[in-house]
Amino acid sequence: MTAPKLSTLAISLVLVTAATAQPASAQVDSTAPQSCQNLGNYAFGNDQVAKDLLSSKDFREWPEGTQKQFLALSGDNLTKFACFAGGTEGYHKFLQAVEDARMDKQTGAGATSEGTTSVVSKGIVSQVMALAVEEGALTRTDNKSIATFHGNGLAIARLFAGHEQFPYCAIYDHSCESALARRLGGVSFSISFDTTQSTGALPAATTPSANKGVLASGPAQQVSGWGLRYDFNAPKNTLATQFQQDFSAKMKSVDGTNFVKSVNELMSPLDAANPPNQAYVAWKEKYLRLLARVSHQDTSGMADVLHQAVVELTDLARKNPKFQTQLDTLLSEMGHYFGTRDKALEAIVNWFTGSFEYNDDRPQNQPSQSNLKVILSWRPSSSGSSTSAGPLQLTLNGSAAWYDHAPPQGAVKRFRDAQASLQADRTLPDVTDRLGAALTLGYYFQYMADNALLTIPSGNLAPGTSISLPGAASVLLGTKGAIHIAQLGLTLTVKSTGVKVPLTLSYSNRTELIKANDVRGHFGVSYDLDSLFAGRSTTP
Amino acid sequence: MCKLSPATGDPVADFTGKVGDQVQIDVSGTNGQATIQQGTSYADQPLAAPWQFTIKAGNQVLSVLVADPTVNDTVVIEEVCDPNTKNTLLSYEFHPNAPLARLIILGQP
C-alpha cells in the first residue's frame, strides 16, 4: 500500500442558470427589475385572490375583502414587494439562498478522467455553463490538471440574448417552463483540456518502478476529452393520492418559522402597528381609491397605478432605519425556505432522474477511447428528511468503454472495460449558522476486459524492462481484471458564498495501469458561481 | 359560533374579533391536500396544530404558511367555528412562490 497523500486539488468555477424557465406572464411592468417581471400580471397586486375578477370586473365592483387583500402585504405582494425593493441584488441574494439549500451538481470530469474528485457522475448538471479545474485521478496513476467546461446550448443562447437566467421555479411547478424548453434544456456538452505542463520527451523505463514515470510524463493532450449528455426525468402525477400524501409527509419537515418571522419584522411596522401606521393607512386608502377609478379593461392604467403603488410603498418602508437589514434577511430566509422545500420534495417529485452521456477520452500515452454512460439518481422515499439532516440521495452509474480505433494487430480487444459505481450523499446538520456539511460514500467498480494499451513512441523502453518498444501501441501486461475504489468524503459549504471545501479519502486495490493498491487523500476548494451569478443577466 | 367577522370600512384590518376569544383555523384545497405549515403564527407567536390562538388587542397579524401539492389549486383559509360550521377567511389560488397569507385581525374589547 502506498502512503496516504494529498493529491487532488479541485477548483470548480460554475456558471449555472435555470435558463430554460419560461414563466407565463400577461402584462408586465417594464420599469420593474427584470427579475420581478414574471411574478404576476402587475408589479404589485395580490393576483392570487383576484384571478377571475382581474379580467372580468372593475375593481370597484369587487367585494371589499378582496379589494383589501389585493393590496395587502400578503401572498403575491410579499414576493413582488421584496423583489421590487431588493432589485437585482436582492433577487441575487434570494437565489443564492435557494442554491445554498440545494444539492451538488456535476461540474467536473467523470471518474475515469485523469483529473477528477468524484467516483460518480451526478444526476444534476449545471444549466448554462460550468468550468471545473481538477487535479488528480481516481482510476489512473497519473495526476493531471484537467479543466472541464460544461455548456448547455439553449441556456447559453438565453444568456447571450439577455434573458433572465435565474427565474425561480418550485421543483414541483411543472408549468413554470415550457415542454420544449424542458426537453432542449436537457442537452449539454462538455470539453476537457489537459492544462498540465508538458515535460517533452518520455523518460526511459529501465526499472520496475519506472512505469509511473512513463505514465506521468510525456506530451500532454491539449483536448483530453469531450462529451455529450442528455438529462431527463420521470415526473410523478401531482394529483395522485399517493403523491399528495407523500407531499404532506415531506412538508412536515420543512420549517418556515424564520421565513415568516422575517416577513413580519419587515411588514408589521406598516400594517400591524398599534396605533396604526397612518402613512400606511393613507397609502392603502389612496390606492384603493385610485384602483376604483380604473376599468378592468384598461390594463395599462392598472399597471401604472400598481407600479406607482409599489414605488410609494417602498419609499414608505424605507423610512424604517432597519429596512435594508430586514429586507436582506427576508430575501435570504425566503430563499432558504424555498430551497429547503425543494430539497425535501426532490425525493418524491420524480420517479427518478436519468442521463445518457457519451464521452470521448484522450488520455495521455493511451489510445483515444469512447465511453457510454447511463446515470440514474433517486432518493429513497423511506430515507425521510428531518430538520437536522437532509434526505439520502443515491446516484448509480453504469458504463462501457471501447477504443476509438481497433488496436493494431489485434493486440487487445477493442472493448476496453465496463464500469459501475454507486454514491450516497447525505446533508448533515449545519456545523454553524454559516457552515453546512454533507457526507459522501462512494464505490466504484471497473472491469478491464483486457490488458491496457499504451501509446509510447518508438525507441522508448517498455515499462519495467530494458526492451526497446517497436511502435506506437504497446500492451501493458498484467493489467486485465477488476478495479475497486471506495471513497469517503465530507464537503463543507460556506453559506451565501458559493465556496465548498470537499475533503475525501479514497482506497483502490489498483489503478488501470499499475497493479498496486493506493490510498489517497483529496482536498478541494470549489467556488460555485451558480449562486454568485444567480439573478444576473447580460442586460442592465 | 364564529369569532371573527369582516372588518368592514377598515382599510387595514381584514377581520375583527373580541379580545380573549379563542379561534381555530384550518385550510382546505379543492384539488390538492393543502396543509398549514410550521411557521404559522399569530401576533408573532408560533402556532401548532390544531392551530388555535387567543385574540389580542389591536391589529395583530395572523400569518398562515400553506403548502399544497397542486399548483394553482383553490385554497380556503377558514375559521373552524364548530365541527359543522366553517367561516371562510380567505379564498385564493395557491402558488408555491407565494405560500404565505397574512391577515390583519383587529382585537376589540
Side-chain angles (χ1 to χ4, degrees), chain A residues 3 29 35 84 122 165 173 175 204 210 363 441 456 471 502:
Chain A
D29 190 324
S35 49
F84 188 88
K122 292 277 183 67
Q165 296 151 35
D173 183 5
S175 62
L441 187 62
I456 302 176

Side-chain angles (χ1 to χ4, degrees), chain B residues 53-66:
Chain B
F53 62 90
T54 303
I55 297 173
K56 293 183 177 178
N59 281 330
Q60 306 292 347
V61 185
L62 172 62
S63 303
V64 188
L65 188 59
V66 177

Side-chain angles (χ1 to χ4, degrees), chain A residues 231-435:
Chain A
D231 297 322
F232 60 94
N233 55 46
K236 292 181 181 174
N237 176 8
T238 58
L239 291 173
T241 305
Q242 186 61 49
F243 178 83
Q244 303 255 333
Q245 289 172 351
D246 290 344
F247 181 96
S248 297
K250 289 288 179 189
M251 285 303 296
K252 283 179 182 169
S253 69
V254 183
D255 186 356
T257 301
N258 289 340
F259 166 47
V260 174
K261 188 178 170 192
S262 68
V263 169
N264 287 334
E265 281 176 353
L266 184 69
M267 300 301 187
S268 291
L270 294 172
D271 63 1
N274 289 298
N277 182 327
Q278 290 305 321
Y280 174 75
V281 173
W283 171 87
K284 196 158 183 184
E285 285 177 331
K286 174 183 175 181
Y287 284 97
L288 285 169
R289 202 166 51 243
L290 288 176
L291 285 171
R293 296 176 187 165
V294 185
S295 161
H296 73 274
Q297 293 168 323
D298 182 6
T299 54
S300 171
M302 286 283 279
D304 288 343
V305 171
L306 289 166
H307 176 253
Q308 193 56 35
V310 74
V311 168
E312 280 190 27
L313 182 66
T314 306
D315 289 343
L316 195 61
R318 282 189 193 282
K319 289 178 181 172
N320 174 359
K322 294 180 183 172
F323 172 79
Q324 195 57 51
T325 306
Q326 291 176 340
L327 177 65
D328 288 347
T329 304
L330 186 157
L331 288 161
S332 294
E333 291 298 343
M334 184 162 66
H336 180 76
Y337 176 74
F338 287 1
T340 306
R341 181 182 61 185
D342 287 351
K343 193 159 84 172
L345 296 175
E346 194 176 15
I348 62 162
V349 169
N350 296 310
W351 293 107
F352 62 88
T353 57
S355 309
F356 291 113
E357 189 175 281
Y358 170 81
N359 287 297
D360 188 64
D361 288 332
R362 300 175 179 191
Q364 182 185 359
N365 295 337
Q366 295 181 62
S368 63
Q369 51 204 254
S370 294
N371 179 302
L372 191 61
K373 184 179 291 180
V374 178
I375 302 162
L376 293 177
S377 181
W378 76 101
R379 291 185 166 176
S381 56
S382 59
S383 68
S385 171
S386 68
T387 52
S388 57
L392 181 69
Q393 176 172 295
L394 298 175
T395 306
L396 179 67
N397 288 190
S399 68
W402 62 94
Y403 292 112
D404 287 349
H405 304 286
Q409 302 164 341
V412 293
K413 295 170 190 160
R414 187 166 183 183
F415 175 71
R416 186 178 186 277
D417 62 70
Q419 304 152 22
S421 55
L422 178 67
Q423 182 167 304
D425 297 272
R426 182 154 221 160
T427 305
L428 299 174
D430 289 346
V431 180
T432 67
D433 288 347
R434 298 274 297 157
L435 196 63

Side-chain angles (χ1 to χ4, degrees), chain A residues 45-52 54 70 74-77, chain B residues 91-100:
Chain A
N46 197 351
D47 296 348
Q48 292 173 292
V49 299
K51 279 281 184 201
D52 297 332
L54 264 176
F70 186 69
S74 174
D76 281 334
N77 281 344
Chain B
S91 174
Y92 65 100
E93 276 191 21
F94 176 84
H95 195 279
N97 287 8
L100 179 61

